[in-house]
Amino acid sequence: MEGAERQASQSSQPSQVSSEQAKWKQMMDEGIARYMREHPDRFHRRVRRGIPPEFRWRVWKAAVRLDDAWPSVDYHSLCEKETQWTPSIVMDVTRTFPDVKAFDDVQQQRLKRVLNAYASCNPEIGYCQGMNYVAGLLLLVSHNEEESFFVFTQLMEHEDFGLAGFYVGKLPLLRRYLRACESLVADTLPELREHFIKQSVQPAVYLHQWFLTLFINCFPISMVMILWDVIMCEGLPVILRIAVSILQVLKDSLLSMEFEDIIKFFKMMKTYHDEDGELGAVKIGQLLMKHTEHVHIPDDTLQYLRPSNVEDDGNLDSDESWENEHSPWYYRWVSGMWPWGKKKPFASTSWSRSAPQLGEASPRTRREGLASGDSTTL
């Protein structure tokens, strides 16, 4: 963005925030669950701009319908039980959000108890690496350990999410989403797909972490919150539109790179901090979520998400005008604004310590062949 445009955008931010907070307060006062049912289109437009932090947890609980499905289990007895997965859980909690100051020793102990409780409650799934980031994010947002456990359980087992399929057995749901995303990329980004094939960049290189952690361990946390607002409120299939939107915005940069730079590019996305800090990451997340509105998932792609025998061996209102980016300059602008789209020598990039790659610590993960970049089992 040019200097004047950038300054104008930043100067308008306080009034936009104030207006958004007023709208969300009104929605909360009316009853958020009722508002979601009676005004779904308007609700989802507002969600894509990001839920104000003070209301986020209440909205997330309503989105998974926690009040209608409060599990009849004793959390406090479950969380203290030792299971066969407890050693792996203990190892992974110390590696969760190592660069997030708010995720301190107290939060790590809460995460251990939440994951231990779920493994005790559902031993058929137990624990698999990736679950720690999902449960950890819930703790960051909720500040309530027991509620985090119950929302985590809903995400794992509710039909709109079914995250358990990402972590059980031979990871059937992950396989389906990888196939669906590959089909969608072939339809929407054929040039980029051919470039990846030519450079021997397997989808697993980036999609494993994107999907197994639902983007949590892949991008700045403030941007992840915006993405997760949409995931929580629209259901799991939206991650396909998010993944394609990311690739569409970054296409030109990726097309200019060869194998090694592409791999570095995907790894650095989490650790890069642009000059606008949190504001820049939030804005990028908002624009990406706006972009997802223009990504259509064909019915034949959705077929990949359904289990198979082979695999199982309105009129515009004031909200609509908040962003109106539909022209080619919009996509060029987002790509330029996105810090990882700026072509910089990787040697000059400041790298911070990142969490270990999936498959590095968990015995179960290693058995499933999820070491970074290993797609041989898929």
PDB file of all heavy atoms in Angstrom, residues 238-268:
ATOM      1  N   VAL A 238     -14.640 -24.712   5.939  1.00  0.00           N
ATOM      2  CA  VAL A 238     -14.150 -23.398   5.531  1.00  0.00           C
ATOM      3  C   VAL A 238     -12.631 -23.367   5.454  1.00  0.00           C
ATOM      4  O   VAL A 238     -12.056 -22.492   4.795  1.00  0.00           O
ATOM      5  CB  VAL A 238     -14.673 -22.294   6.487  1.00  0.00           C
ATOM      6  CG1 VAL A 238     -13.903 -22.279   7.795  1.00  0.00           C
ATOM      7  CG2 VAL A 238     -14.588 -20.912   5.831  1.00  0.00           C
ATOM      8  N   ILE A 239     -11.940 -24.329   6.083  1.00  0.00           N
ATOM      9  CA  ILE A 239     -10.475 -24.314   6.008  1.00  0.00           C
ATOM     10  C   ILE A 239      -9.990 -24.514   4.572  1.00  0.00           C
ATOM     11  O   ILE A 239      -8.890 -24.087   4.230  1.00  0.00           O
ATOM     12  CB  ILE A 239      -9.834 -25.344   6.954  1.00  0.00           C
ATOM     13  CG1 ILE A 239     -10.103 -26.777   6.506  1.00  0.00           C
ATOM     14  CG2 ILE A 239     -10.260 -25.105   8.389  1.00  0.00           C
ATOM     15  CD1 ILE A 239      -9.385 -27.823   7.349  1.00  0.00           C
ATOM     16  N   LEU A 240     -10.803 -25.143   3.724  1.00  0.00           N
ATOM     17  CA  LEU A 240     -10.430 -25.272   2.315  1.00  0.00           C
ATOM     18  C   LEU A 240     -10.407 -23.911   1.643  1.00  0.00           C
ATOM     19  O   LEU A 240      -9.482 -23.589   0.891  1.00  0.00           O
ATOM     20  CB  LEU A 240     -11.405 -26.196   1.587  1.00  0.00           C
ATOM     21  CG  LEU A 240     -11.409 -27.663   2.009  1.00  0.00           C
ATOM     22  CD1 LEU A 240     -12.515 -28.419   1.281  1.00  0.00           C
ATOM     23  CD2 LEU A 240     -10.061 -28.305   1.744  1.00  0.00           C
ATOM     24  N   ARG A 241     -11.414 -23.087   1.910  1.00  0.00           N
ATOM     25  CA  ARG A 241     -11.459 -21.752   1.308  1.00  0.00           C
ATOM     26  C   ARG A 241     -10.339 -20.874   1.853  1.00  0.00           C
ATOM     27  O   ARG A 241      -9.770 -20.062   1.127  1.00  0.00           O
ATOM     28  CB  ARG A 241     -12.820 -21.104   1.561  1.00  0.00           C
ATOM     29  CG  ARG A 241     -13.976 -21.895   0.997  1.00  0.00           C
ATOM     30  CD  ARG A 241     -15.140 -21.018   0.578  1.00  0.00           C
ATOM     31  NE  ARG A 241     -15.530 -20.021   1.558  1.00  0.00           N
ATOM     32  CZ  ARG A 241     -16.462 -20.213   2.492  1.00  0.00           C
ATOM     33  NH1 ARG A 241     -17.080 -21.377   2.589  1.00  0.00           N
ATOM     34  NH2 ARG A 241     -16.784 -19.248   3.326  1.00  0.00           N
ATOM     35  N   ILE A 242     -10.016 -21.050   3.137  1.00  0.00           N
ATOM     36  CA  ILE A 242      -8.925 -20.277   3.722  1.00  0.00           C
ATOM     37  C   ILE A 242      -7.601 -20.658   3.064  1.00  0.00           C
ATOM     38  O   ILE A 242      -6.802 -19.790   2.685  1.00  0.00           O
ATOM     39  CB  ILE A 242      -8.858 -20.494   5.243  1.00  0.00           C
ATOM     40  CG1 ILE A 242     -10.103 -19.903   5.923  1.00  0.00           C
ATOM     41  CG2 ILE A 242      -7.590 -19.870   5.825  1.00  0.00           C
ATOM     42  CD1 ILE A 242     -10.185 -20.212   7.412  1.00  0.00           C
ATOM     43  N   ALA A 243      -7.350 -21.952   2.918  1.00  0.00           N
ATOM     44  CA  ALA A 243      -6.093 -22.405   2.319  1.00  0.00           C
ATOM     45  C   ALA A 243      -5.934 -21.886   0.904  1.00  0.00           C
ATOM     46  O   ALA A 243      -4.861 -21.405   0.507  1.00  0.00           O
ATOM     47  CB  ALA A 243      -6.028 -23.938   2.335  1.00  0.00           C
ATOM     48  N   VAL A 244      -7.003 -21.965   0.105  1.00  0.00           N
ATOM     49  CA  VAL A 244      -6.938 -21.490  -1.280  1.00  0.00           C
ATOM     50  C   VAL A 244      -6.770 -19.973  -1.320  1.00  0.00           C
ATOM     51  O   VAL A 244      -6.028 -19.438  -2.150  1.00  0.00           O
ATOM     52  CB  VAL A 244      -8.182 -21.941  -2.060  1.00  0.00           C
ATOM     53  CG1 VAL A 244      -8.272 -21.222  -3.405  1.00  0.00           C
ATOM     54  CG2 VAL A 244      -8.140 -23.451  -2.284  1.00  0.00           C
ATOM     55  N   SER A 245      -7.427 -19.254  -0.429  1.00  0.00           N
ATOM     56  CA  SER A 245      -7.273 -17.797  -0.382  1.00  0.00           C
ATOM     57  C   SER A 245      -5.829 -17.412  -0.100  1.00  0.00           C
ATOM     58  O   SER A 245      -5.285 -16.486  -0.715  1.00  0.00           O
ATOM     59  CB  SER A 245      -8.192 -17.197   0.693  1.00  0.00           C
ATOM     60  OG  SER A 245      -9.546 -17.356   0.357  1.00  0.00           O
ATOM     61  N   ILE A 246      -5.187 -18.106   0.835  1.00  0.00           N
ATOM     62  CA  ILE A 246      -3.784 -17.838   1.140  1.00  0.00           C
ATOM     63  C   ILE A 246      -2.919 -18.041  -0.094  1.00  0.00           C
ATOM     64  O   ILE A 246      -2.071 -17.202  -0.437  1.00  0.00           O
ATOM     65  CB  ILE A 246      -3.311 -18.741   2.292  1.00  0.00           C
ATOM     66  CG1 ILE A 246      -4.007 -18.353   3.597  1.00  0.00           C
ATOM     67  CG2 ILE A 246      -1.788 -18.648   2.466  1.00  0.00           C
ATOM     68  CD1 ILE A 246      -3.805 -19.345   4.729  1.00  0.00           C
ATOM     69  N   LEU A 247      -3.131 -19.158  -0.787  1.00  0.00           N
ATOM     70  CA  LEU A 247      -2.321 -19.448  -1.974  1.00  0.00           C
ATOM     71  C   LEU A 247      -2.595 -18.466  -3.098  1.00  0.00           C
ATOM     72  O   LEU A 247      -1.681 -18.082  -3.842  1.00  0.00           O
ATOM     73  CB  LEU A 247      -2.595 -20.881  -2.442  1.00  0.00           C
ATOM     74  CG  LEU A 247      -2.119 -21.992  -1.488  1.00  0.00           C
ATOM     75  CD1 LEU A 247      -2.551 -23.351  -2.006  1.00  0.00           C
ATOM     76  CD2 LEU A 247      -0.609 -21.946  -1.300  1.00  0.00           C
ATOM     77  N   GLN A 248      -3.850 -18.029  -3.249  1.00  0.00           N
ATOM     78  CA  GLN A 248      -4.174 -17.054  -4.295  1.00  0.00           C
ATOM     79  C   GLN A 248      -3.469 -15.726  -4.041  1.00  0.00           C
ATOM     80  O   GLN A 248      -2.925 -15.106  -4.960  1.00  0.00           O
ATOM     81  CB  GLN A 248      -5.686 -16.860  -4.377  1.00  0.00           C
ATOM     82  CG  GLN A 248      -6.420 -18.023  -5.024  1.00  0.00           C
ATOM     83  CD  GLN A 248      -7.916 -17.823  -5.048  1.00  0.00           C
ATOM     84  OE1 GLN A 248      -8.477 -17.095  -4.219  1.00  0.00           O
ATOM     85  NE2 GLN A 248      -8.595 -18.477  -5.987  1.00  0.00           N
ATOM     86  N   VAL A 249      -3.474 -15.295  -2.793  1.00  0.00           N
ATOM     87  CA  VAL A 249      -2.839 -14.022  -2.461  1.00  0.00           C
ATOM     88  C   VAL A 249      -1.321 -14.096  -2.645  1.00  0.00           C
ATOM     89  O   VAL A 249      -0.678 -13.136  -3.076  1.00  0.00           O
ATOM     90  CB  VAL A 249      -3.195 -13.616  -1.012  1.00  0.00           C
ATOM     91  CG1 VAL A 249      -2.310 -12.470  -0.540  1.00  0.00           C
ATOM     92  CG2 VAL A 249      -4.664 -13.222  -0.917  1.00  0.00           C
ATOM     93  N   LEU A 250      -0.740 -15.261  -2.366  1.00  0.00           N
ATOM     94  CA  LEU A 250       0.710 -15.413  -2.427  1.00  0.00           C
ATOM     95  C   LEU A 250       1.209 -15.979  -3.755  1.00  0.00           C
ATOM     96  O   LEU A 250       2.414 -16.206  -3.915  1.00  0.00           O
ATOM     97  CB  LEU A 250       1.176 -16.333  -1.293  1.00  0.00           C
ATOM     98  CG  LEU A 250       0.927 -15.819   0.124  1.00  0.00           C
ATOM     99  CD1 LEU A 250       1.329 -16.873   1.141  1.00  0.00           C
ATOM    100  CD2 LEU A 250       1.657 -14.520   0.389  1.00  0.00           C
ATOM    101  N   LYS A 251       0.307 -16.202  -4.686  1.00  0.00           N
ATOM    102  CA  LYS A 251       0.657 -16.907  -5.917  1.00  0.00           C
ATOM    103  C   LYS A 251       1.847 -16.298  -6.633  1.00  0.00           C
ATOM    104  O   LYS A 251       2.802 -17.006  -6.984  1.00  0.00           O
ATOM    105  CB  LYS A 251      -0.545 -16.942  -6.861  1.00  0.00           C
ATOM    106  CG  LYS A 251      -0.264 -17.696  -8.160  1.00  0.00           C
ATOM    107  CD  LYS A 251      -1.453 -17.634  -9.121  1.00  0.00           C
ATOM    108  CE  LYS A 251      -1.540 -16.244  -9.768  1.00  0.00           C
ATOM    109  NZ  LYS A 251      -2.537 -16.220 -10.859  1.00  0.00           N
ATOM    110  N   ASP A 252       1.829 -15.007  -6.885  1.00  0.00           N
ATOM    111  CA  ASP A 252       2.904 -14.382  -7.669  1.00  0.00           C
ATOM    112  C   ASP A 252       4.260 -14.565  -7.008  1.00  0.00           C
ATOM    113  O   ASP A 252       5.272 -14.824  -7.690  1.00  0.00           O
ATOM    114  CB  ASP A 252       2.604 -12.893  -7.880  1.00  0.00           C
ATOM    115  CG  ASP A 252       1.434 -12.670  -8.830  1.00  0.00           C
ATOM    116  OD1 ASP A 252       1.077 -13.622  -9.556  1.00  0.00           O
ATOM    117  OD2 ASP A 252       0.876 -11.560  -8.834  1.00  0.00           O
ATOM    118  N   SER A 253       4.304 -14.421  -5.687  1.00  0.00           N
ATOM    119  CA  SER A 253       5.564 -14.613  -4.983  1.00  0.00           C
ATOM    120  C   SER A 253       6.029 -16.058  -5.075  1.00  0.00           C
ATOM    121  O   SER A 253       7.207 -16.329  -5.324  1.00  0.00           O
ATOM    122  CB  SER A 253       5.424 -14.203  -3.517  1.00  0.00           C
ATOM    123  OG  SER A 253       5.201 -12.812  -3.394  1.00  0.00           O
ATOM    124  N   LEU A 254       5.117 -17.002  -4.900  1.00  0.00           N
ATOM    125  CA  LEU A 254       5.479 -18.416  -4.940  1.00  0.00           C
ATOM    126  C   LEU A 254       5.927 -18.848  -6.325  1.00  0.00           C
ATOM    127  O   LEU A 254       6.842 -19.667  -6.465  1.00  0.00           O
ATOM    128  CB  LEU A 254       4.294 -19.268  -4.478  1.00  0.00           C
ATOM    129  CG  LEU A 254       3.946 -19.153  -2.993  1.00  0.00           C
ATOM    130  CD1 LEU A 254       2.592 -19.798  -2.707  1.00  0.00           C
ATOM    131  CD2 LEU A 254       5.024 -19.794  -2.121  1.00  0.00           C
ATOM    132  N   LEU A 255       5.310 -18.293  -7.355  1.00  0.00           N
ATOM    133  CA  LEU A 255       5.688 -18.645  -8.722  1.00  0.00           C
ATOM    134  C   LEU A 255       7.116 -18.212  -9.055  1.00  0.00           C
ATOM    135  O   LEU A 255       7.740 -18.768  -9.960  1.00  0.00           O
ATOM    136  CB  LEU A 255       4.715 -18.025  -9.721  1.00  0.00           C
ATOM    137  CG  LEU A 255       3.336 -18.673  -9.824  1.00  0.00           C
ATOM    138  CD1 LEU A 255       2.424 -17.852 -10.727  1.00  0.00           C
ATOM    139  CD2 LEU A 255       3.435 -20.109 -10.333  1.00  0.00           C
ATOM    140  N   SER A 256       7.628 -17.238  -8.328  1.00  0.00           N
ATOM    141  CA  SER A 256       8.980 -16.741  -8.603  1.00  0.00           C
ATOM    142  C   SER A 256      10.055 -17.520  -7.856  1.00  0.00           C
ATOM    143  O   SER A 256      11.242 -17.236  -8.009  1.00  0.00           O
ATOM    144  CB  SER A 256       9.076 -15.258  -8.223  1.00  0.00           C
ATOM    145  OG  SER A 256       9.007 -15.096  -6.813  1.00  0.00           O
ATOM    146  N   MET A 257       9.646 -18.501  -7.048  1.00  0.00           N
ATOM    147  CA  MET A 257      10.602 -19.206  -6.199  1.00  0.00           C
ATOM    148  C   MET A 257      10.845 -20.632  -6.685  1.00  0.00           C
ATOM    149  O   MET A 257       9.989 -21.235  -7.323  1.00  0.00           O
ATOM    150  CB  MET A 257      10.070 -19.272  -4.754  1.00  0.00           C
ATOM    151  CG  MET A 257       9.844 -17.934  -4.096  1.00  0.00           C
ATOM    152  SD  MET A 257       9.169 -18.157  -2.434  1.00  0.00           S
ATOM    153  CE  MET A 257       8.667 -16.464  -2.072  1.00  0.00           C
ATOM    154  N   GLU A 258      12.013 -21.154  -6.299  1.00  0.00           N
ATOM    155  CA  GLU A 258      12.320 -22.552  -6.520  1.00  0.00           C
ATOM    156  C   GLU A 258      12.154 -23.312  -5.206  1.00  0.00           C
ATOM    157  O   GLU A 258      11.833 -22.726  -4.172  1.00  0.00           O
ATOM    158  CB  GLU A 258      13.735 -22.701  -7.074  1.00  0.00           C
ATOM    159  CG  GLU A 258      13.892 -22.058  -8.448  1.00  0.00           C
ATOM    160  CD  GLU A 258      15.275 -22.259  -9.039  1.00  0.00           C
ATOM    161  OE1 GLU A 258      16.161 -22.786  -8.314  1.00  0.00           O
ATOM    162  OE2 GLU A 258      15.477 -21.896 -10.212  1.00  0.00           O
ATOM    163  N   PHE A 259      12.388 -24.616  -5.249  1.00  0.00           N
ATOM    164  CA  PHE A 259      12.037 -25.518  -4.150  1.00  0.00           C
ATOM    165  C   PHE A 259      12.494 -25.007  -2.777  1.00  0.00           C
ATOM    166  O   PHE A 259      11.684 -24.857  -1.862  1.00  0.00           O
ATOM    167  CB  PHE A 259      12.621 -26.910  -4.414  1.00  0.00           C
ATOM    168  CG  PHE A 259      12.390 -27.880  -3.291  1.00  0.00           C
ATOM    169  CD1 PHE A 259      11.193 -28.559  -3.184  1.00  0.00           C
ATOM    170  CD2 PHE A 259      13.382 -28.102  -2.332  1.00  0.00           C
ATOM    171  CE1 PHE A 259      10.974 -29.451  -2.141  1.00  0.00           C
ATOM    172  CE2 PHE A 259      13.164 -28.994  -1.292  1.00  0.00           C
ATOM    173  CZ  PHE A 259      11.962 -29.665  -1.202  1.00  0.00           C
ATOM    174  N   GLU A 260      13.774 -24.740  -2.610  1.00  0.00           N
ATOM    175  CA  GLU A 260      14.299 -24.404  -1.291  1.00  0.00           C
ATOM    176  C   GLU A 260      13.678 -23.125  -0.748  1.00  0.00           C
ATOM    177  O   GLU A 260      13.360 -23.034   0.449  1.00  0.00           O
ATOM    178  CB  GLU A 260      15.827 -24.291  -1.340  1.00  0.00           C
ATOM    179  CG  GLU A 260      16.535 -25.617  -1.548  1.00  0.00           C
ATOM    180  CD  GLU A 260      18.035 -25.495  -1.443  1.00  0.00           C
ATOM    181  OE1 GLU A 260      18.516 -24.367  -1.182  1.00  0.00           O
ATOM    182  OE2 GLU A 260      18.727 -26.508  -1.613  1.00  0.00           O
ATOM    183  N   ASP A 261      13.515 -22.129  -1.612  1.00  0.00           N
ATOM    184  CA  ASP A 261      12.924 -20.875  -1.161  1.00  0.00           C
ATOM    185  C   ASP A 261      11.449 -21.047  -0.824  1.00  0.00           C
ATOM    186  O   ASP A 261      10.929 -20.389   0.093  1.00  0.00           O
ATOM    187  CB  ASP A 261      13.101 -19.788  -2.217  1.00  0.00           C
ATOM    188  CG  ASP A 261      14.504 -19.181  -2.192  1.00  0.00           C
ATOM    189  OD1 ASP A 261      15.226 -19.444  -1.214  1.00  0.00           O
ATOM    190  OD2 ASP A 261      14.866 -18.475  -3.137  1.00  0.00           O
ATOM    191  N   ILE A 262      10.748 -21.896  -1.548  1.00  0.00           N
ATOM    192  CA  ILE A 262       9.343 -22.154  -1.230  1.00  0.00           C
ATOM    193  C   ILE A 262       9.219 -22.778   0.158  1.00  0.00           C
ATOM    194  O   ILE A 262       8.374 -22.375   0.966  1.00  0.00           O
ATOM    195  CB  ILE A 262       8.698 -23.071  -2.290  1.00  0.00           C
ATOM    196  CG1 ILE A 262       8.601 -22.345  -3.631  1.00  0.00           C
ATOM    197  CG2 ILE A 262       7.308 -23.531  -1.846  1.00  0.00           C
ATOM    198  CD1 ILE A 262       8.156 -23.227  -4.788  1.00  0.00           C
ATOM    199  N   ILE A 263      10.086 -23.742   0.448  1.00  0.00           N
ATOM    200  CA  ILE A 263      10.049 -24.393   1.755  1.00  0.00           C
ATOM    201  C   ILE A 263      10.350 -23.382   2.862  1.00  0.00           C
ATOM    202  O   ILE A 263       9.652 -23.319   3.880  1.00  0.00           O
ATOM    203  CB  ILE A 263      11.067 -25.559   1.815  1.00  0.00           C
ATOM    204  CG1 ILE A 263      10.789 -26.573   0.704  1.00  0.00           C
ATOM    205  CG2 ILE A 263      11.023 -26.228   3.174  1.00  0.00           C
ATOM    206  CD1 ILE A 263       9.386 -27.117   0.686  1.00  0.00           C
ATOM    207  N   LYS A 264      11.374 -22.563   2.663  1.00  0.00           N
ATOM    208  CA  LYS A 264      11.694 -21.536   3.654  1.00  0.00           C
ATOM    209  C   LYS A 264      10.556 -20.538   3.807  1.00  0.00           C
ATOM    210  O   LYS A 264      10.243 -20.086   4.907  1.00  0.00           O
ATOM    211  CB  LYS A 264      12.980 -20.801   3.241  1.00  0.00           C
ATOM    212  CG  LYS A 264      14.248 -21.644   3.320  1.00  0.00           C
ATOM    213  CD  LYS A 264      15.442 -20.843   2.859  1.00  0.00           C
ATOM    214  CE  LYS A 264      16.722 -21.659   2.884  1.00  0.00           C
ATOM    215  NZ  LYS A 264      17.883 -20.886   2.391  1.00  0.00           N
ATOM    216  N   PHE A 265       9.951 -20.213   2.694  1.00  0.00           N
ATOM    217  CA  PHE A 265       8.847 -19.246   2.674  1.00  0.00           C
ATOM    218  C   PHE A 265       7.711 -19.712   3.579  1.00  0.00           C
ATOM    219  O   PHE A 265       7.211 -18.956   4.420  1.00  0.00           O
ATOM    220  CB  PHE A 265       8.367 -19.102   1.242  1.00  0.00           C
ATOM    221  CG  PHE A 265       7.361 -18.020   1.010  1.00  0.00           C
ATOM    222  CD1 PHE A 265       7.763 -16.715   0.788  1.00  0.00           C
ATOM    223  CD2 PHE A 265       6.002 -18.298   0.990  1.00  0.00           C
ATOM    224  CE1 PHE A 265       6.838 -15.708   0.555  1.00  0.00           C
ATOM    225  CE2 PHE A 265       5.067 -17.297   0.753  1.00  0.00           C
ATOM    226  CZ  PHE A 265       5.493 -16.001   0.540  1.00  0.00           C
ATOM    227  N   PHE A 266       7.305 -20.970   3.435  1.00  0.00           N
ATOM    228  CA  PHE A 266       6.219 -21.482   4.258  1.00  0.00           C
ATOM    229  C   PHE A 266       6.614 -21.557   5.725  1.00  0.00           C
ATOM    230  O   PHE A 266       5.795 -21.302   6.608  1.00  0.00           O
ATOM    231  CB  PHE A 266       5.776 -22.867   3.760  1.00  0.00           C
ATOM    232  CG  PHE A 266       4.903 -22.817   2.538  1.00  0.00           C
ATOM    233  CD1 PHE A 266       5.263 -23.485   1.383  1.00  0.00           C
ATOM    234  CD2 PHE A 266       3.714 -22.102   2.539  1.00  0.00           C
ATOM    235  CE1 PHE A 266       4.456 -23.442   0.249  1.00  0.00           C
ATOM    236  CE2 PHE A 266       2.904 -22.047   1.419  1.00  0.00           C
ATOM    237  CZ  PHE A 266       3.277 -22.718   0.272  1.00  0.00           C
ATOM    238  N   LYS A 267       7.871 -21.880   6.010  1.00  0.00           N
ATOM    239  CA  LYS A 267       8.300 -21.980   7.394  1.00  0.00           C
ATOM    240  C   LYS A 267       8.379 -20.620   8.086  1.00  0.00           C
ATOM    241  O   LYS A 267       8.164 -20.521   9.299  1.00  0.00           O
ATOM    242  CB  LYS A 267       9.664 -22.677   7.475  1.00  0.00           C
ATOM    243  CG  LYS A 267       9.598 -24.177   7.209  1.00  0.00           C
ATOM    244  CD  LYS A 267      10.968 -24.820   7.384  1.00  0.00           C
ATOM    245  CE  LYS A 267      10.891 -26.327   7.208  1.00  0.00           C
ATOM    246  NZ  LYS A 267      12.214 -26.977   7.381  1.00  0.00           N
ATOM    247  N   MET A 268       8.712 -19.572   7.337  1.00  0.00           N
ATOM    248  CA  MET A 268       8.911 -18.271   7.953  1.00  0.00           C
ATOM    249  C   MET A 268       7.606 -17.526   8.221  1.00  0.00           C
ATOM    250  O   MET A 268       7.588 -16.532   8.934  1.00  0.00           O
ATOM    251  CB  MET A 268       9.793 -17.386   7.065  1.00  0.00           C
ATOM    252  CG  MET A 268       9.113 -16.913   5.787  1.00  0.00           C
ATOM    253  SD  MET A 268      10.128 -15.808   4.781  1.00  0.00           S
ATOM    254  CE  MET A 268       9.864 -14.252   5.615  1.00  0.00           C
TER     255      MET A 268
END
